[in-house]
Amino acid sequence: MPLENNIMKSWCALAFLLLAYFCHGTLSCPALCKCYLRRAEVVCNEVPLTEYPSEGLPKNTTMLTIQSTNITSISEQHVKATPLLQELHLYSNQLQSLSSHLLRGVPHVSTLDLTGNKLSDLPADVFSHATLRNLVLKNNLIEKADAEWLPDNSTLTWLDLSGNRLTKIPAALLQKLPHLETLDLSTNHLQKISANSLDPLTKLERLNLQNNNLDTLDASILQCTHNLTYLFLSQNKLNKLPQNLFQELTQLKILRLDDNHLRYIPAGLLDPLDSLDEDGLDLTANPWLCDGKVEYLWRWLQKNKKKVFLPEAITCAGPQSLVGRSVMSLTESELQ
């Protein structure tokens, strides 16, 4: 009997403690969400939420994921319910607006992912007040990027603005990003990258500009990006490139120039790229004109075939007698 009494007392004590924890919110969890207490994570995935689930969120939450819901807005008041938050993932919701000073109550947030929402105009200081390192705004409706979104000397190392409606990227915004390592501006409507606008990005390693409307690049645009290792320029309208464009890119491993309007490249353009990976350079799907001006490309391909992706697919679009021929297969007499 004493043993049974002790067991009963233990169970009663445990039940009392659990009840106390729930009443004080330590083990609470919002309806429709799942809470993983040991790793301080909350997930609300594909549930009929219409409002940010501030009520019931454990205060010690460090990671919150809300995905594929009907939430349309989020405010500073909502977010500050979890003051220890470090990662906030809000993929594929219906977000149309964010409040100014959104992150003031969550100063430890380092990752904010807003992929696949309906965001267009964002207020000033929206991403200030937190030590953000990763900011993802991919696949929204943003037409204008604003320098006022971020504080001076931002801690961002990763910025993804791909899949929006940007026609330009302001130099004032890039000046605030001295620690940036990855910049993704692909699948926008960019027509030009202003000269010297990338100069502050001295730590940049990956630059993605593919699927825009760029027809040329300023000769000095990459002069300060000495650490660049990945450069994606595919699916633009590039028809000419400055001779010294890649002069400072001695660390470059991957260069994608496929699916542009290139007929020639200037002599010496590719010479600095000694660090290219095997298959690291893609020049396919360009209308190469195979006359005397293609000789530099022809000679470079002969020496660097292993660095080129599908070298035999780099073909002539003219003159008529050489249409469809691989540039690599040309003879010196044909070049003349």
Side-chain angles (χ1 to χ4, degrees):
M1 286 294 290
L3 179 60
E4 292 180 358
N5 287 337
N6 287 336
I7 293 175
M8 182 63 70
K9 288 178 181 179
S10 297
W11 276 109
C12 289
L14 180 60
F16 178 80
L17 288 172
L18 288 172
L19 182 60
Y21 280 135
F22 277 110
C23 289
H24 286 85
T26 305
L27 297 179
S28 63
C29 190
L32 305 177
C33 300
K34 294 181 180 179
C35 296
Y36 303 93
L37 301 176
R38 287 188 177 181
R39 58 179 188 258
E41 180 181 0
V42 178
V43 177
C44 312
N45 185 20
E46 297 184 356
V47 292
L49 280 176
T50 56
E51 294 184 358
Y52 190 90
S54 299
E55 295 296 325
L57 281 173
K59 288 189 179 297
N60 67 335
T61 300
T62 59
M63 182 184 298
L64 174 59
T65 300
I66 302 175
Q67 181 173 352
S68 302
T69 74
N70 293 317
I71 295 174
T72 59
S73 64
I74 179 174
S75 71
E76 177 188 348
Q77 292 298 114
H78 290 138
V79 178
K80 74 177 186 179
T82 50
L84 301 180
L85 199 64
Q86 297 175 19
E87 295 187 28
L88 179 57
H89 302 274
L90 298 167
Y91 323 120
S92 302
N93 295 289
Q94 303 295 319
L95 288 173
Q96 300 175 26
S97 64
L98 306 175
S99 71
S100 188
H101 308 291
L102 177 68
L103 305 177
R104 183 154 47 188
V106 282
H108 306 292
V109 167
S110 61
T111 296
L112 177 59
D113 193 337
L114 292 156
T115 298
N117 283 281
K118 298 181 179 179
L119 298 170
S120 54
D121 297 320
L122 302 181
D125 295 316
V126 61
F127 303 126
S128 297
H129 309 295
T131 53
L132 273 181
R133 291 180 58 84
N134 307 298
L135 176 58
V136 183
L137 292 163
K138 181 178 181 179
N139 294 346
N140 277 280
L141 307 174
I142 300 170
E143 296 183 0
K144 180 182 179 182
D146 194 336
E148 298 305 314
W149 290 349
L150 295 166
D152 292 335
N153 197 28
S154 168
T155 53
L156 275 185
T157 61
W158 186 299
L159 176 59
D160 188 343
L161 280 161
S162 63
N164 280 283
R165 301 176 178 180
L166 300 175
T167 56
K168 61 182 179 179
I169 186 75
L173 173 61
L174 300 178
Q175 286 173 1
K176 293 186 172 185
L177 303 172
H179 306 287
L180 201 66
E181 297 173 2
T182 296
L183 176 60
D184 194 337
L185 297 170
S186 61
T187 316
N188 276 285
H189 305 303
L190 299 176
Q191 299 177 350
K192 184 180 180 181
I193 306 294
S194 299
N196 304 114
S197 61
L198 300 182
D199 286 2
L201 309 185
T202 56
K203 295 185 179 180
L204 196 65
E205 297 177 2
R206 182 184 293 261
L207 175 60
N208 193 343
L209 295 169
Q210 71 178 28
N211 197 19
N212 278 287
N213 296 320
L214 301 170
D215 58 10
T216 190
L217 295 171
D218 186 89
S220 64
I221 194 68
L222 302 172
Q223 66 181 355
C224 294
T225 55
H226 306 287
N227 292 312
L228 204 63
T229 51
Y230 299 88
L231 177 57
F232 302 95
L233 294 165
S234 310
Q235 295 175 279
N236 277 282
K237 298 178 180 179
L238 295 171
N239 55 66
K240 59 182 178 180
L241 297 173
Q243 183 177 22
N244 295 324
L245 180 62
F246 305 135
Q247 189 67 40
E248 304 299 329
L249 304 187
T250 56
Q251 307 299 317
L252 201 67
K253 295 181 178 181
I254 301 294
L255 173 59
R256 297 288 185 252
L257 282 164
D258 51 294
D259 205 0
N260 276 283
H261 297 170
L262 295 172
R263 302 172 70 200
Y264 305 108
I265 56 172
L269 177 72
L270 304 175
D271 291 352
L273 305 181
D274 293 331
S275 295
L276 284 174
D277 284 349
E278 186 172 331
D279 296 336
L281 174 63
D282 192 345
L283 294 169
T284 59
N286 280 286
W288 300 106
L289 184 56
C290 294
D291 58 14
K293 291 183 181 180
V294 85
E295 182 178 354
Y296 166 72
L297 175 59
W298 175 75
R299 291 191 183 281
W300 191 90
L301 290 173
Q302 304 295 331
K303 296 179 181 178
N304 298 278
K305 182 178 179 180
K306 290 184 177 180
K307 295 181 179 180
V308 182
F309 176 71
L310 296 178
E312 300 299 334
I314 302 171
T315 56
C316 304
Q320 187 62 40
S321 60
L322 296 176
V323 171
R325 281 279 302 277
S326 166
V327 172
M328 292 245 333
S329 72
L330 299 176
T331 64
E332 289 197 48
S333 61
E334 287 174 318
L335 291 175
Q336 297 170 2

